[in-house]
DNA sequence: GATGAATGAGGCTTCATTCAT
DNA sequence: TATGAATGAAGCCTCATTCAT
């Protein structure tokens, strides 16, 4: 993989940004190169093809970029905790906070996810399951199958974010409080402080 | 809404059926009129346009039909219970059972949902919230905000089904057991028999 | 391979015809769907894609059709002879006569040949070599390697046709007389009447 | 025609060389500026446009250069003979030898020939016809029309080279022996030593 | 001279939809 | 009703070429 010039990186970022806006605003189906080029102020769709080998590469790049930003944001919160239960709590808090701060990125993520070529979601799942296993070994959680519980918790996270993405009026504070309680009960966490 | 002849209804059903198969087999993006017509044994895509005002109407009809079949299936289970907690338990059991019995319909549903014009999901949500409120009034559940909890439970349901839809090897029995326990804990149900 | 309706066959023939004209008039590089559609009086290039799976299929079909017409024409001449040398003579005569009668088809053939996916030229070669072998067994020709001589004779044929294709002023009658003599000498044919 | 600096000549030669490689390796259709630049180690296709007025000029230059190299090679052989028949023999020998020694140049030539704007082939033809006329005057050949025979002999040459270009397994030694015999018979050369 | 980013025309293809039969 | 041919818009992509640095 050859290096990319700074100019090129800037253009790619600009295009990815325009793609994110478009995805968030119009949905995946209506996100054509024409729309993206217009929103980015480019003179032709050819420029997009010039910087990305194909539509798939752009889509994948959008996904990677949002996911990375998202992961950075979330991990920033989680590092501060030292128990598994604490990390879990931080995980959900961070997710909702990201939603508040970067709504359109979140919506774009939801739109683009089904069309990504290689999803790193297996990673999400594995990390969550590992966290749960660690917590169980430490006696922080009740007895459950870690992989299955990981599915549940990620389902909760995804569902709540999806709801928030489509219903801007949702009360995220209430959601957050209830979510933490619910997760604590579901995992049998003695203490999630 | 004018009446539809029996022949027309049959044709529409045939087309909707082929659309479901196609959605389940190829995904939304690859589900063109051409594919649907081929799978339905029709000799022209024109016939689809003849019976449906546009692609949107077909998509909506697919959604309505699968949702109705799904709802019928699920409600059949729930009628047999008389406590809210019991109904909740039946709800999740029924959902997973439907997944086992009508996998392709479920997958089609997941594919088509993002493209439906008017989702009846508000209905899903309302019903779930009502059930939860009733249960709370009866003292079956712990204290929570019913609307928020409804979001959580539907998120769980959707996430598990989505997972099952994309990973055919998922152990649904294990999932079911864990899910019932988890839901009971999350809602504080004293008894979910 | 499903059957084709008569209408479809007509349209395909029309498109192939327009493609041949365009190839003969503008050369391969300038033969776009747009040009073909214009020459065929079609309202859009989409119609070409409707009748042919892709450009390659059209190109192949043009080739097949011209080659078949060409082969029919040539074989019509050759059937009348009973010696190998006579057939050879008829072959060259027929080739030049076809050039005179269907110039643009010949030119189109030259243009399209390098872009055909599966050339049946192996067939040409084999038939020619078989003819030469038969003639040698019958003692009509001198000693030579049949496969190599086949290459030579087909090279002669192709070269003369190519020359005639690009130079409309070429004296084909003179060419024909000289060619027959030359081939007779080259193959050591005792008699090519 | 203004003078070209030595640097410029070097660059042009480099580009032409890369174009030849590309033509031989990928065929004309796939020979874009991008490919040529990549193979030449240039970092921009703009440089090609800078040194050549347009694609046509590059194509023509490739043709000119290969043809010159080819002509030099062939003429080197022919100078050593003093009879017309001897020169003819040397001509064919040299052609096949060039094919063996510079296969990719030969293939590139075949690829590029149809797209050259002003072919110098008239020159080839004239030279061959002159040689034949000289030979006839000297009584070395039988009676024939020199221009027509020139067409035949060049057709033979082109056809054999084309065959060799597309079929790497062709036995060139056998080809050469048969070709010399055949040409001798065709031209009625008493002696082609 | 060289770079690499930008341009804009043009290519093929797919699609939902319309229309005559 | 049903057919299948026709339509035209829109999509992505490639290409030679231009331009500022």
């Amino acid at each position: 993989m050859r290096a990319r010039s700074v100019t090129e990186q800037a253009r790619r970022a600009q295009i990815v940004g325009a793609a994110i806006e478009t995805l968030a605003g119009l949905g995946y189906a209506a996100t054509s190169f024409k729309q993206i080029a217009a929103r980015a102020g480019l003179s032709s769709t050819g420029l997009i093809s010039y910087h990305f080998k194909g539509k798939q590469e752009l889509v994948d790049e959008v996904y990677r970029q949002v996911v990375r930003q998202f992961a950075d944001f979330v991990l920033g919160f989680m590092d501060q905790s030292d128990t598994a239960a604490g990390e879990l709590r931080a995980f959900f808090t961070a997710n909702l906070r990201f939603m508040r701060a970067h709504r359109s990125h979140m919506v774009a993520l939801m739109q683009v996810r089904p069309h990504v070529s290689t999803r790193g979601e297996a990673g999400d799942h594995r990390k969550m399951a590992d966290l749960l296993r660690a917590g169980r070994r430490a006696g922080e959680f009740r007895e459950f199958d870690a992989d299955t519980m990981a599915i549940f918790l990620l389902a909760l996270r995804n569902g709540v974010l999806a709801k928030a993405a489509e219903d801007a009026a949702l009360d995220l504070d209430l959601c957050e409080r209830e979510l933490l309680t619910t997760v604590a009960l579901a995992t049998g966490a003695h203490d999630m402080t």
Side-chain angles (χ1 to χ4, degrees), chain A:
Chain A
M1 193 193 298
R2 80 182 195 294
R4 267 190 253 279
S5 81
V6 57
T7 314
E8 166 141 32
Q9 277 186 321
R11 260 282 183 266
R12 280 175 68 101
Q14 181 195 5
I15 293 170
V16 167
I20 290 174
E21 280 179 44
T22 311
L23 284 163
L26 307 179
Y28 183 85
T31 297
S32 63
F33 276 16
K34 202 171 168 188
Q35 285 290 339
I36 297 173
R39 212 170 281 242
L42 308 179
S43 62
S44 95
T45 66
L47 192 56
I48 301 178
S49 290
Y50 176 76
H51 286 286
F52 296 88
K53 191 165 34 177
K55 188 176 194 181
Q56 193 59 58
E57 188 181 314
L58 173 56
V59 162
D60 289 349
E61 184 63 24
V62 164
Y63 180 75
R64 272 204 340 168
Q65 197 153 312
V66 177
V67 160
R68 174 181 335 212
Q69 185 191 3
F70 182 64
D72 288 352
F73 189 96
V74 172
L75 290 179
F77 273 79
M78 295 177 66
D79 287 351
Q80 299 157 9
S81 181
D82 53 355
T83 66
E87 283 203 52
L88 202 53
R89 179 187 184 90
F91 172 76
F92 282 100
T93 303
N95 269 277
L96 288 176
R97 222 160 276 197
F98 183 83
M99 183 71 204
R100 276 183 278 241
H102 306 287
R103 186 160 210 290
S104 69
H105 286 230
M106 196 71 241
V107 176
L109 184 57
M110 298 286 165
Q111 290 291 330
V112 98
R113 186 157 40 182
H115 303 94
V116 165
S117 64
T118 52
R119 242 171 316 181
E121 255 158 33
D124 266 28
H125 177 86
R126 194 169 32 71
K127 269 181 240 159
M128 176 62 81
D130 285 347
L131 176 60
L132 292 171
R133 266 185 284 270
R136 286 221 46 225
R137 271 196 303 274
E140 298 180 47
F141 300 137
R142 69 172 177 89
E143 249 184 83
F144 51 64
D145 178 71
D147 279 310
T148 308
M149 180 58 76
I151 293 174
F152 296 167
L153 295 184
L154 290 173
L156 267 176
R157 192 269 308 258
N158 290 339
V160 169
L161 291 183
K163 185 77 178 181
E166 70 189 22
D167 175 9
L170 188 68
D171 181 344
L172 285 175
D173 293 327
L174 170 61
C175 226
E176 186 174 341
R177 283 195 307 274
E178 295 277 346
L179 187 53
L180 293 179
T181 307
T182 299
V183 167
L185 290 170
T187 57
H190 304 148
D191 184 22
M192 267 183 72
T193 357

